[in-house]
Amino acid sequence: MQNLEAKIKFLKQYILEAKNITIFSGAGLSVPSGIPDFRSSDGLYSSLYKETLRPEEIISHSFFMADPKTFYEFYFQKMVYKNAKPNKAHLYFSKLQATKNIKVVTQNIDGLDIKAGLKNVYEIHGSIWHNHCMKCHKYYSLNELKLEGIPRCSCGGIIKPDVTLYEESLDNEVINQAIKAIQDADLLLVIGTSLVVYPAASFINFYHKDKLVIINKTKTPGDNLANLVINDDIINVVSMLDE
């Protein structure tokens, strides 16, 4: 078992040698920015909403259609962090763009990768920053919405966030771009994801080279596929890489 310092040394060498680096990220990358994750002991899914509702139920397509008022109460309170800022990890990878071809495939909907200045970002579950009227399809940015009640378009239609809810399909074009980014990578960095949400978790199976690195606080089902596993906080890892 290698110690952390030895693993960081390997990772530094991987990064040095790579030309094309793809980051496949989950909620753990955004936790240091103050955004809770989903599946930890104190994550979004760890308690009921209003004592009776499961969060997974609320953020489903059928619940949104049946009760948009409760959906938006939960969504604005628990999932929209408009003032969150990119953390040290986002900024580290953004800085790497000066010398490396960096692509990001993210399950996160917070837009922090783009805020950090990362250029090639594939948001496979959509983004809180993009919204459309369900009636006339007019586009609304998050900044145009009041974060209360049911957002409505000038035509009277309900505005829906462009995030993938349970029971909805992922965007095929974005998925194809994400898979290509993973296939083309010299180095694939899997960061802050439990690798239990499908189909996203299966994406690492499209990587067929020998530099798959998983950085997550806890073990994942994909660890046996990795060339290097680091069970540590991403900010600590990035701080050591940046020394």
Side-chain angles (χ1 to χ4, degrees):
M1 178 68 73
Q2 297 169 327
N3 62 27
L4 180 59
E5 289 76 14
K7 290 183 176 184
I8 295 296
K9 185 176 180 181
F10 272 107
L11 182 53
K12 280 184 176 180
Q13 193 62 32
Y14 281 176
I15 292 171
L16 182 66
E17 294 172 354
K19 293 181 179 178
N20 300 303
I21 300 174
T22 295
I23 299 153
F24 179 62
S25 64
L29 182 58
S30 295
V31 167
S33 294
I35 300 176
D37 66 5
F38 289 79
R39 290 174 172 77
S40 66
S41 58
D42 57 351
L44 188 63
Y45 292 168
S46 64
S47 60
L48 297 174
Y49 183 67
K50 293 188 173 179
E51 299 183 350
T52 59
L53 294 170
R54 292 181 297 107
E56 302 99 308
E57 177 187 359
I58 299 172
I59 54 176
S60 67
H61 178 83
S62 55
F63 191 96
F64 174 83
M65 297 301 292
D67 189 356
K69 181 176 183 294
T70 302
F71 170 88
Y72 267 114
E73 285 176 359
F74 178 86
Y75 178 74
F76 287 146
Q77 181 183 339
K78 302 288 189 179
M79 298 182 69
V80 174
Y81 289 82
K82 187 176 179 181
N83 297 320
K85 292 182 171 55
N87 60 56
K88 187 171 184 176
H90 295 110
L91 298 173
Y92 170 80
F93 293 121
S94 180
K95 186 173 68 173
L96 265 186
Q97 290 179 131
T99 56
K100 308 291 180 181
N101 180 26
I102 305 291
K103 294 182 178 178
V104 180
V105 176
T106 184
Q107 300 171 77
N108 299 331
I109 60 173
D110 49 53
L112 291 179
D113 303 287
I114 294 170
K115 274 189 179 181
L118 285 150
K119 304 298 183 187
N120 301 303
V121 180
Y122 308 109
E123 298 171 307
I124 60 177
H125 291 153
S127 171
I128 62 170
W129 293 93
H130 306 297
N131 309 268
H132 281 87
C133 172
M134 296 179 70
K135 185 176 179 181
C136 73
H137 309 296
K138 181 179 178 181
Y139 173 83
Y140 287 86
S141 74
L142 183 64
N143 291 328
E144 294 176 277
L145 303 184
K146 291 182 179 179
L147 304 188
E148 59 184 18
I150 302 173
R152 289 193 177 272
C153 176
S154 55
C155 78
I158 293 176
I159 297 170
K160 183 180 181 295
D162 290 353
V163 299
T164 304
L165 305 179
Y166 285 107
E167 305 165 353
E168 294 181 344
S169 300
L170 302 181
D171 183 293
N172 282 332
E173 183 178 349
V174 176
I175 296 313
N176 290 336
Q177 292 172 325
I179 289 172
K180 188 175 189 309
I182 288 171
Q183 290 174 326
D184 291 347
D186 304 322
L187 170 61
L188 177 61
L189 300 176
V190 179
I191 301 173
T193 173
S194 58
L195 292 177
V196 297
V197 177
Y198 282 81
S202 66
F203 287 8
I204 65 170
N205 295 324
F206 289 96
Y207 181 75
H208 300 299
K209 298 172 189 170
D210 61 354
K211 290 185 176 65
L212 168 58
V213 179
I214 295 180
I215 305 170
N216 197 53
K217 283 187 174 181
T218 57
K219 294 179 180 180
T220 80
D223 288 359
N224 63 315
L225 301 174
N227 304 96
L228 181 63
V229 176
I230 300 177
N231 293 134
D232 206 316
D233 181 83
I234 182 58
I235 299 301
N236 188 40
V237 170
V238 165
S239 296
M240 295 178 74
L241 287 173
D242 221 10
E243 286 177 349

